[in-house]
Amino acid sequence: MSMQERIRSVEERIAAACDRSGRKAEDVHMIAVTKYVSLDTAREAFNCGLSNLGENRWQDAQEKWLALSGGEQASNDGKPVWHFIGSLQTNKVKDVIGKFTYIHSLDRLSLAEAIHKRAAQLGINVPCFIQVNVSGEESKHGLQPEELSAFLDKLADFPGVRPIGLMTMAPYESKPEDTRPVFRALRQLRDEIRATSAHAEDLIHLSMGMSNDFEVAIEEGATWVRLGTTLVGKEEE
Ligand SMILES: *Cc1c(COP(=O)(O)O)cnc(C)c1O
């Protein structure tokens, strides 16, 4: 399949999932995760209209970022909007903040503090998703759901960090339907926290759903889906 055909097919599947759940397709945004593909393929994806690109490691993203965004501030017109979706080491914050517009993996206060300091130096604030480990798998990063409220209260000390939503990863399931409880739980957590926390008024978005399970995630309220394999493909090294 060509890139155009893959994009068309994913858009149709998103539209169908929105229809099934009474949602508007324009409320669901796609991130093209380019971590498995070359610079040329990432450029093709961008040129085909995929303006939001996601990477999970700065070391691997660097070449693509430099080529496509050329050293200036991220999110200018005519350049990709970059999403950092992988776990972020504190010592990489200086590389990533200012280049990646969105951080999807805020999972600890020490990281919030580092992002805040770097953001203050740059005179920006950084929209962040708080990663929550809903499935309870030990291998997954993220706060425990019951830690979220206190975490949000403490984030108020770091105004360079702007919490805009929650992110989770579901375990891989051979039947995507089996991921539904994880996505539903993240949505319920967002709804609860917005109703009860003084610091949650901007906590609107849900970053959830990958190639295997994005349709279920959309039915459960995803506003950002992170798609690698099914959208831009996977190339061998
Ligand atoms: C790799 C990755 C994705 C995309 O994976 P696919 O299954 O190829 O769509 C999404 N989110 C995160 C956090 C990832 O690391």
Side-chain angles (χ1 to χ4, degrees):
M1 261 203 266
S2 72
M3 182 75 71
Q4 293 284 13
E5 287 165 342
R6 272 201 301 261
I7 295 171
R8 171 71 67 83
S9 151
V10 168
E11 282 174 347
E12 283 170 2
R13 289 168 65 188
I14 290 176
C18 286
D19 277 351
R20 286 194 294 278
S21 50
R23 301 189 58 206
K24 287 188 278 186
E26 62 262 33
D27 293 339
V28 179
H29 308 281
M30 278 189 283
I31 298 168
V33 176
T34 52
K35 69 184 187 195
Y36 299 126
V37 300
S38 65
L39 166 59
D40 285 345
T41 305
R43 183 184 280 118
E44 186 190 358
F46 178 64
N47 289 338
C48 287
L50 296 171
S51 52
N52 289 281
L53 302 187
E55 284 278 337
N56 68 340
R57 286 164 54 95
W58 170 242
Q59 293 93 313
D60 301 337
Q62 197 163 5
E63 183 203 15
K64 290 169 199 155
W65 189 86
L66 283 170
L68 300 179
S69 292
E72 292 165 40
Q73 287 267 316
S75 132
N76 295 336
D77 286 351
K79 295 193 177 152
V81 175
W82 292 91
H83 295 252
F84 197 88
I85 61 172
S87 122
L88 179 54
Q89 291 169 271
T90 308
N91 65 5
K92 295 293 187 302
V93 163
K94 62 181 187 318
D95 298 318
V96 165
I97 300 304
K99 300 188 178 77
F100 284 71
T101 303
Y102 294 89
I103 305 297
H104 288 248
S105 49
L106 177 60
D107 61 356
R108 59 196 190 278
L109 279 178
S110 56
L111 179 60
E113 183 174 14
I115 293 172
H116 165 74
K117 283 187 178 155
R118 184 70 179 137
Q121 286 170 350
L122 298 171
I124 59 175
N125 65 55
V126 181
C128 293
F129 294 81
I130 302 170
Q131 186 168 354
V132 184
N133 184 356
V134 176
S135 70
E137 281 181 295
E138 268 182 43
S139 60
K140 295 273 193 293
H141 291 268
L143 299 179
Q144 298 306 308
E146 61 275 13
E147 295 172 331
L148 183 61
S149 178
F151 185 82
L152 272 166
D153 291 344
K154 295 197 186 107
L155 270 191
D157 294 341
F158 306 121
V161 171
R162 185 154 54 89
I164 60 161
L166 303 180
M167 179 276 214
T168 203
M169 291 177 73
Y172 179 88
E173 300 285 359
S174 52
K175 283 187 285 167
E177 182 58 33
D178 292 345
T179 60
R180 190 177 298 278
V182 172
F183 298 137
R184 183 166 295 176
L186 194 73
R187 169 166 52 104
Q188 286 170 344
L189 183 63
R190 178 202 60 187
D191 293 346
E192 267 165 44
I193 209 92
R194 290 196 72 202
T196 54
S197 165
H199 298 113
E201 67 268 29
D202 295 329
L203 210 70
I204 292 164
H205 289 282
L206 294 173
S207 168
M208 58 187 195
M210 307 175 24
S211 291
N212 185 52
D213 53 23
F214 68 96
E215 289 150 301
V216 180
I218 290 169
E219 289 169 14
E220 294 300 327
T223 63
W224 288 93
V225 288
R226 310 178 307 267
L227 304 176
T229 320
T230 197
L231 184 60
V232 294
K234 190 166 186 172
E235 296 162 357
E236 302 305 324
E237 289 283 295

